[in-house]
Amino acid sequence: MIKDPWFTVQQIDNQTFGISEYGHWEKVHSFLLLGVEKAVLIDTGLGIDNMKRITDQLTGLPIDVITTHVHADHIGSHGEFERVFVHEGDKDWLVNGIQGLSINQIRKDIRRDITLPTPVSFDPDTYRPFQVEPTGLVNDGDIIDLGNRKLMIYHTPGHSPGHICVFDETNGYLFTGDLLYDETPVYAFYPSTSPVDLVNSLERVAELPGVFMVYGSHNTLGLEASILEEVKRAVIYLRENDLARFGTGVHHFDGFSVKF
Ligand SMILES: [Zn+2]
Ligand SMILES: [Zn+2]
């Protein structure tokens, strides 16, 4: 397997790789899915180091980058790839810059609690989330056929307006972005988020049939699909107690938590 000073590459199966940044407190994962004639890269990480250096070692196929959502920690290496896709709800942030999060806050978050050496090209004082006009849009219900596997796009707003999940129907892998991961709270407490939408989106993905593994974008790489049963319970609890509102705080469930 690939040895790299910044990225950790983990093989999920012969044609699926997790590309992780454990040297940063956010423990961000991006995912490379190989098809027959092209590959899909779900997100491109923090932009502290060059992710194309990794994908070049894993495949010679052309790569389409699919964006789960436009936050700095998911679009960092977008500029290294030619074809970039995003949901319409987050497109404006990709083109014109992320709204609702100040550049000072973004730089504070990018520079803290780094435990691995960073490349000389990384300067937190001048760091900016990448901006680009996307190649195209991905919409709810889109099917990306990679020849050997079919990827379904689900629009799952809440954490951001244009957040999407990607379901590899063939293998039962559900890539949940920042809608669902373990250890640290899922965020929906700032103005550009929506607690009500987040709960609706959690309900939607929890009902998907045929999920074998859940891959969130932070912390543990790969969660058992049984977490979706807890998500169903969480949705009922949050609604019955009228908690899907800003300011209700952190809500803990078995295996994950949310902050409103
Ligand atoms: Zn995010
Ligand atoms: Zn994130």
Side-chain angles (χ1 to χ4, degrees), residues 26 28 43 68-69 71-74 159 177-178 181 187 217-218:
E26 287 198 70
V28 183
D43 291 343
T68 62
H69 65 296
H71 282 163
D73 52 325
H74 299 260
H159 177 73
D178 282 5
Y181 47 76
Y187 285 177
S217 290
H218 296 275

Side-chain angles (χ1 to χ4, degrees), residues 22 27 29 181-183 214-223:
Y22 292 115
K27 295 190 199 133
H29 309 297
Y181 47 76
D182 71 346
E183 290 180 10
V214 174
Y215 292 95
S217 290
H218 296 275
N219 304 325
T220 303
L221 185 87
L223 305 169

